[in-house]
């Protein structure tokens, strides 16, 4: 996800917030969504300026997942929390698994009622090393991680299921980066960045 796309989504949300009274939904609602599948477009590791994209290499596999929940006010403005995880693993004799997690506060706008569309973005996010395993043994505690980039944008569609419930389908695109330093060896410095999408299914409850 490029910076221009992220800025466009934030601009669109800002416009919707200014016009919130004109397009307000009728009911506030609470929503929960869980990732069913994911697609990893890039998973890069950079050491001393040399970047490797593991998605393009054989012998490695990547997975992605996530979850969202949000409260939508009657004026269509939504506040929520979204989290995602992208994981890299290999098929070596001593298999390695590296997972990067990201979470943040979301701002969104919902247009429509019985059929509705929500567009949103993470406005305060943080990425970190969530797991570093070798042969199933966790070594995350040896590394200090610093968030370098934590961006995401999302689009959800809602379909009414009777008076109070709604079915939700969505997609969230992540763009994240972290820096890790081995606490026992300060020369062991790596940067990881990843771009991935999570496809979500969920339910919402509309308050009358």
């Amino acid at each position: 996800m490029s910076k221009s796309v992220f800025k466009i989504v934030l601009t669109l949300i800002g416009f919707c917030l200014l016009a919130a009274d004109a397009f307000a939904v009728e009911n506030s609602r609470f929503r929960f969504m869980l990732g069913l599948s994911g697609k990893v477009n890039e998973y890069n590791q950079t050491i001393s300026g040399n970047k490797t994209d593991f998605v393009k290499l054989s012998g490695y596999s990547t997975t992605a997942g996530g979850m969202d929940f949000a409260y939508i006010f009657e004026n269509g403005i939504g506040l929520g929390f979204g989290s995602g995880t992208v994981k890299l693993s290999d098929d070596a004799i001593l298999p390695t698994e590296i997972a990067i997690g990201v979470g943040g506060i979301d701002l969104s706008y919902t247009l429509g009622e019985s059929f509705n569309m929500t567009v949103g973005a993470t406005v305060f996010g943080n990425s970190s090393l969530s797991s570093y395993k070798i042969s199933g043994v966790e070594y995350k505690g040896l590394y200090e991680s610093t968030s370098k980039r934590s961006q995401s944008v999302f689009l959800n569609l809602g379909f009414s299921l009777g008076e109070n419930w709604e079915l939700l389908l969505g997609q969230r695109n992540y763009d994240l980066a972290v820096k890790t330093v081995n606490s026992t060896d300060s020369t062991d410095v790596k940067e990881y960045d990843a771009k991935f999408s999570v496809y979500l299914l969920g339910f919402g409850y509309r308050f009358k």
Side-chain angles (χ1 to χ4, degrees):
M1 177 180 60
S2 65
K3 291 183 179 180
S4 59
V5 173
F6 186 71
K7 291 179 179 179
I8 290 172
V9 172
L10 287 181
T11 301
L12 179 60
I13 294 173
F15 172 78
C16 291
L17 296 181
L18 293 175
D21 290 337
F23 302 104
V25 298
E26 296 178 6
N27 306 107
S28 62
R29 59 198 75 197
F30 178 80
R31 290 174 161 179
F32 175 78
M33 304 182 72
L34 188 64
L36 293 181
S37 64
K39 178 182 179 182
V40 181
N41 299 310
E42 294 182 23
Y43 194 118
N44 302 306
Q45 179 189 74
T46 303
I47 303 176
S48 300
N50 298 315
K51 178 179 288 190
T52 301
D53 186 356
F54 291 102
V55 174
K56 299 178 181 178
L57 298 180
S58 60
Y60 295 89
S61 61
T62 54
T63 57
M67 60 171 286
D68 302 351
F69 61 85
Y71 184 82
I72 313 297
F73 296 91
E74 291 183 359
N75 60 4
I77 298 172
L79 292 175
F81 178 83
S83 64
T85 302
V86 60
K87 184 184 300 182
L88 169 73
S89 57
D90 62 28
D91 55 6
I93 297 177
L94 297 177
T96 300
E97 179 183 287
I98 305 172
I100 307 298
V102 57
I105 303 300
D106 298 330
L107 180 65
S108 67
Y109 185 77
T110 298
L111 176 65
E113 189 59 35
S114 58
F115 171 74
N116 56 76
M117 180 181 69
T118 300
V119 61
T122 297
V123 289
F124 299 105
N126 184 72
S127 302
S128 63
L129 180 69
S130 59
S131 181
Y132 195 117
K133 295 181 180 179
I134 301 177
S135 296
V137 180
E138 182 62 74
Y139 291 95
K140 172 189 172 184
L142 295 179
Y143 294 88
E144 299 177 358
S145 63
T146 304
S147 179
K148 305 288 287 185
R149 186 171 64 253
S150 305
Q151 297 177 350
S152 76
V153 295
F154 58 92
L155 175 68
N156 299 329
L157 299 178
F159 307 87
S160 178
L161 295 176
E163 185 175 354
N164 296 103
W165 293 94
E166 59 181 356
L167 174 69
L168 303 170
L169 301 173
Q171 175 178 334
R172 182 186 286 258
N173 297 328
Y174 287 96
D175 183 359
L176 59 87
V178 299
K179 177 182 179 180
T180 65
V181 180
N182 191 324
S183 59
T184 64
D185 181 4
S186 59
T187 64
D188 182 8
V189 179
K190 301 182 180 72
E191 290 194 14
Y192 298 93
D193 64 272
K195 295 180 181 180
F196 61 100
S197 300
V198 178
Y199 307 102
L200 304 112
L201 174 69
F203 294 92
Y205 182 83
R206 295 184 294 178
F207 298 96
K208 297 294 185 178

